[in-house]
Amino acid sequence: MNILNIQLPKNHFHTLLSFTQNEDNKVYSNWHGSTTYENACGIYTLTPEDNSIFKGSKEQVINYVGKFIEHFNIDVLQVSDPNKAYLHTYFKDRVKYIGPPEDVARLETDKLFSKWMADSVGVKTPGIIKQGRYSDDDYGTNLSFPCIEKPSHTWSPAVNLFNEEDAQTAIQKVQFGAHPQTGNKDEEYFIEEYIDDMIETNVFFVIANGEYRITHTQEIIGENLNKTIEQKVWYIDSFIKPLKQEVDKIVRKKAHPYLERIAKMGGSYEGSFCGAYTSKGEWY
């Protein structure tokens, strides 16, 4: 069996390694930064020239993947980059496809869409206290702290604004083109209320054949301190621990309508999402 993997940085090694354990399989993958680990594990990496195509236009990527599938007789196409989810539309009927369809990928790349999806099935989400564009004259003003700023439709991190000083820093960064991440001041954003009395939860799941299974839950500590206007990589100084049994049961129950809804949207993939569990037993 021949597999083409289109990954985010160092992503999906567990499935790739599983594929390579069968000597009859050939696993091909794009790469980020270095190919040392992949090659040591028996994964064939693309040439630098071919790898750069995935930074190109949608049309270039579709054309390249189509030719690659034909030339290398690819049986399985695995796509973990949500910005490449359009490949599902073009190749889902041509090969075995592992990855989310375009609408599902929007749950990762479009925070306002994801919020709407949760609201539509009765899952609580924090209230929106302001919306606009980064270029608006009133950007960063008339806020209550702490609060959370999120890009509405662009795949970039949320930013916790803990005080007026953070808001002023954000305003200055916008003026100098350092915020938002894309540098596009015409992007839309929204400000959510900050759920203070809570623990942050992660729910990991697998979806296939219109059904879901939760594979793991956990509490993550410290990630919120990295998502500030002075951005750090989310995992620096953060750590995880198991949820208490009673909290785990509540989180799984509350996550059910959301997972049930997105499972019906199709695709075969694994994913995760964050939530906030409060001392009052509420889950957002």
Side-chain angles (χ1 to χ4, degrees):
M1 186 166 62
N2 299 320
I3 301 102
L4 173 60
N5 178 62
I6 300 173
Q7 61 169 324
L8 293 171
K10 307 304 179 189
N11 184 245
H12 270 311
F13 272 134
H14 52 302
T15 53
L16 298 184
L17 293 177
S18 178
F19 283 136
T20 59
Q21 287 173 4
N22 185 333
E23 62 182 16
D24 293 329
N25 291 339
K26 282 192 173 180
V27 180
Y28 304 88
S29 183
N30 70 326
W31 49 276
H32 301 266
S34 169
T35 64
T36 304
Y37 188 85
E38 287 93 335
N39 297 155
C41 295
I43 298 166
Y44 297 91
T45 49
L46 305 181
T47 66
E49 181 180 1
D50 284 4
N51 196 60
S52 67
I53 292 174
F54 288 97
K55 297 180 181 179
S57 67
K58 175 180 176 179
E59 291 71 24
Q60 288 174 312
V61 173
I62 292 171
N63 183 56
Y64 175 81
V65 171
K67 290 181 178 179
F68 196 100
I69 289 172
E70 183 176 355
H71 182 78
F72 290 97
N73 193 27
I74 295 298
D75 303 292
V76 178
L77 175 59
Q78 179 173 251
V79 181
S80 62
D81 182 348
N83 283 326
K84 302 291 188 298
Y86 54 78
L87 293 172
H88 181 271
T89 303
Y90 286 87
F91 298 110
K92 63 182 174 64
D93 296 323
R94 187 170 168 183
V95 295
K96 175 64 178 177
Y97 191 101
I98 302 174
E102 291 187 72
D103 280 351
V104 174
R106 283 186 65 196
L107 297 171
E108 175 68 20
T109 62
D110 188 325
K111 291 179 172 60
L112 204 56
F113 175 70
S114 179
K115 182 180 182 68
W116 170 84
M117 181 66 72
D119 290 339
S120 72
V121 294
V123 174
K124 287 187 174 183
T125 62
I128 293 179
I129 57 181
K130 187 175 183 178
Q131 288 180 269
R133 297 180 185 274
Y134 293 95
S135 58
D136 291 344
D137 291 338
D138 68 343
Y139 170 76
T141 65
N142 302 318
L143 301 176
S144 56
F145 303 103
C147 59
I148 305 176
E149 176 192 290
K150 297 181 178 180
S152 297
H153 309 295
T154 304
W155 194 29
S156 296
V159 173
N160 292 314
L161 301 173
F162 291 107
N163 48 50
E164 182 64 34
E165 182 179 352
D166 286 347
Q168 290 301 315
T169 300
I171 292 172
Q172 292 173 7
K173 283 180 173 287
V174 169
Q175 292 172 345
F176 288 108
H179 186 64
Q181 276 193 351
T182 60
N184 182 5
K185 296 179 183 180
D186 287 329
E187 284 181 13
E188 296 179 8
Y189 73 90
F190 63 100
I191 304 287
E192 281 185 335
E193 61 179 334
Y194 188 93
I195 308 299
D196 193 23
D197 179 24
M198 63 88 176
I199 61 172
E200 186 170 355
T201 64
N202 298 145
V203 176
F204 295 81
F205 60 91
V206 173
I207 283 178
N209 301 318
E211 298 183 349
Y212 79 88
R213 294 291 185 272
I214 293 176
T215 57
H216 176 65
T217 65
Q218 64 188 27
E219 176 183 354
I220 184 163
I221 301 168
E223 180 179 354
N224 64 316
L225 299 178
N226 293 322
K227 292 182 176 179
T228 67
I229 192 59
E230 302 293 351
Q231 285 279 346
K232 299 177 183 178
V233 179
W234 66 267
Y235 51 77
I236 292 178
D237 294 329
S238 64
F239 61 97
I240 61 175
K241 68 177 185 179
L243 293 175
K244 294 180 179 179
Q245 186 174 8
E246 60 270 24
V247 176
D248 173 69
K249 289 181 178 179
I250 293 172
V251 169
R252 288 171 182 262
K253 181 179 179 180
K254 296 289 188 180
H256 167 72
Y258 186 73
L259 287 168
E260 185 178 47
R261 175 68 181 87
I262 65 175
K264 293 177 181 178
M265 297 169 70
S268 300
Y269 58 96
E270 59 181 337
S272 65
F273 56 85
C274 299
Y277 177 79
T278 73
S279 61
K280 295 180 180 179
E282 297 176 321
W283 185 74
Y284 292 78

